Amino acid sequence: AVAFADESQAVGGYKNGDIRRWKIENQQQQGPTIRRGATIRSVVVSQDGRWIVSGDDGNRVTVWNAATHKKVREFTEYSSGVMAVDISSDCTKVVAVTFRNNPSTTDVTIRIHDITSGAQLLTPPSYDGILGVKFSPDGSRFATASETSVRIYNTHDGDILFDSGRRFSSYSALLFVSLVWSSDSQQLFVANQGKITCFDISNSSSSEWSIHEFYPSASVASNGRFIACSAGRSVSLWDCVTHKQISNIITELSDISCIALSPSGGYL
């Protein structure tokens, strides 16, 4: 997992359970290594730079002080690995999802927690195979994406505002589904199975376009103006409005697990 702490620092979460913060300019690690002991599936930094939140295969969501790397709060009421986490734009709430692949179970797979009090605020209706979650920029909604579908919920009461139904073919090899919002919170972009799908919440419509390489797992990041999308060993940039590719394809030496953009979009 990877995220930017600000325009000059990035945070990485690793398979061995470590979380490290890096200075871009001198490529030096900042502060002590955080050790979780279980694979880090997701990491995110609050917009005010105060918190780092991680989700791991040890069935935990953990809030860390971003400056000291000390543990602030831990949520352990999950029965399986935490696939994705996000922090609301007002930096007060955490949403987390776990992957449930047995429809006969009644496990809660979506939870919202209050960072300050530690209280569990919501357990919205769950469904199977959730692999990604993201708060809208205005904080009023959050979206979840599974192997096959997308849902949007009201942050305040957990009501379902939008359900795409079955939109994608299931891929058992998927490790995550990546999704980002437009800056006005009206569009949701989901990368999955060789394409990006744009769901327009204002009129319940959708459109999609193919990305440069067919690959079951893709990762997207956005700064509101453009989308960065990785698939396999390649990364491309796309205009949020026109959906046109705006750069040459960047090619890496090995498959890319996930990507992030700095707040200004200057770093990938």
Side-chain angles (χ1 to χ4, degrees), residues 248-268:
N248 293 327
I249 293 175
I250 303 165
T251 303
E252 299 292 342
L253 296 177
S254 58
D255 286 348
I256 301 163
S257 298
C258 56
I259 57 176
L261 282 168
S262 63
S264 73
Y267 291 107
L268 170 70

Side-chain angles (χ1 to χ4, degrees), residues 95-97 108-112 122-127 130 142 144 153:
V95 63
V97 297
V108 175
T109 59
I110 310 170
R111 285 185 169 92
I112 294 184
L122 283 175
T123 55
S126 299
Y127 61 110
I130 302 176
F142 67 93
T144 60
Y153 298 82

Side-chain angles (χ1 to χ4, degrees), residues 183-223:
S183 55
D184 63 1
S185 302
Q186 294 302 306
Q187 294 181 316
L188 182 70
F189 300 92
V190 182
N192 196 345
Q193 301 165 15
K195 61 180 179 288
I196 297 175
T197 304
C198 174
F199 296 95
D200 193 316
I201 312 308
S202 61
N203 57 19
S204 298
S205 66
S206 65
S207 60
E208 62 184 42
W209 68 96
S210 297
I211 52 180
H212 46 86
E213 180 179 353
F214 182 83
Y215 201 76
S217 291
S219 180
V220 288
S222 179
N223 63 353

Side-chain angles (χ1 to χ4, degrees), residues 3 10-14 16 18-22 29-35 52 69:
V11 177
Y14 299 89
N16 67 357
D18 288 355
I19 300 172
R20 301 171 184 263
R21 181 165 53 97
W22 302 92
Q29 182 174 332
Q30 305 296 296
T33 299
I34 298 170
R35 302 191 187 279
I52 297 172
H69 296 186

Side-chain angles (χ1 to χ4, degrees), residues 1-266:
V2 67
F4 277 90
D6 53 32
E7 200 63 33
S8 64
Q9 298 181 87
V11 177
Y14 299 89
K15 187 175 181 179
N16 67 357
D18 288 355
I19 300 172
R20 301 171 184 263
R21 181 165 53 97
W22 302 92
K23 187 79 170 177
I24 297 170
E25 183 178 0
N26 59 16
Q27 305 175 42
Q28 296 299 306
Q29 182 174 332
Q30 305 296 296
T33 299
I34 298 170
R35 302 191 187 279
R36 281 278 70 190
T39 296
I40 304 299
R41 291 290 182 183
S42 183
V43 65
V44 64
V45 182
S46 61
Q47 289 187 20
D48 61 6
R50 188 177 179 186
W51 315 116
I52 297 172
V53 175
S54 62
D56 62 54
D57 275 357
N59 308 353
R60 297 165 298 189
V61 174
T62 311
V63 181
W64 310 90
N65 183 302
T68 65
H69 296 186
K70 299 293 185 182
K71 182 167 64 177
V72 175
R73 198 168 298 282
E74 184 175 74
F75 304 103
T76 59
E77 47 277 70
Y78 296 89
S79 59
S80 57
V82 178
M83 299 301 297
V85 295
D86 197 27
I87 304 174
S88 59
S89 55
D90 63 6
C91 309
T92 64
K93 293 180 283 292
V94 172
V95 63
V97 297
T98 60
F99 182 78
R100 181 183 70 183
N101 57 9
N102 184 355
S104 64
T105 66
T106 57
D107 294 347
V108 175
T109 59
I110 310 170
R111 285 185 169 92
I112 294 184
H113 306 276
D114 184 277
I115 293 178
T116 302
S117 68
Q120 184 171 285
L121 302 177
L122 283 175
T123 55
S126 299
Y127 61 110
D128 301 316
I130 302 176
L131 294 164
V133 67
K134 199 74 174 175
F135 277 112
S136 62
D138 63 10
S140 67
R141 310 161 177 169
F142 67 93
T144 60
S146 75
E147 294 174 298
T148 60
S149 63
V150 170
R151 277 187 185 177
I152 296 174
Y153 298 82
N154 186 311
T155 300
H156 306 294
D157 56 21
D159 285 350
I160 299 171
L161 303 176
F162 173 83
D163 188 337
S164 72
R166 189 180 180 92
R167 286 296 302 263
F168 315 115
S169 300
S170 178
Y171 272 82
S172 59
L174 283 176
L175 298 178
F176 60 89
V177 175
S178 188
L179 61 165
V180 293
W181 287 88
S182 61
S183 55
D184 63 1
S185 302
Q186 294 302 306
Q187 294 181 316
L188 182 70
F189 300 92
V190 182
N192 196 345
Q193 301 165 15
K195 61 180 179 288
I196 297 175
T197 304
C198 174
F199 296 95
D200 193 316
I201 312 308
S202 61
N203 57 19
S204 298
S205 66
S206 65
S207 60
E208 62 184 42
W209 68 96
S210 297
I211 52 180
H212 46 86
E213 180 179 353
F214 182 83
Y215 201 76
S217 291
S219 180
V220 288
S222 179
N223 63 353
R225 301 187 306 278
F226 61 87
I227 298 169
C229 180
S230 72
R233 301 181 180 186
S234 304
V235 180
S236 55
L237 304 181
W238 304 81
D239 187 279
C240 283
V241 176
T242 66
H243 303 174
K244 300 295 185 182
Q245 189 173 332
I246 58 175
S247 75
N248 293 327
I249 293 175
I250 303 165
T251 303
E252 299 292 342
L253 296 177
S254 58
D255 286 348
I256 301 163
S257 298
C258 56
I259 57 176
L261 282 168
S262 63
S264 73

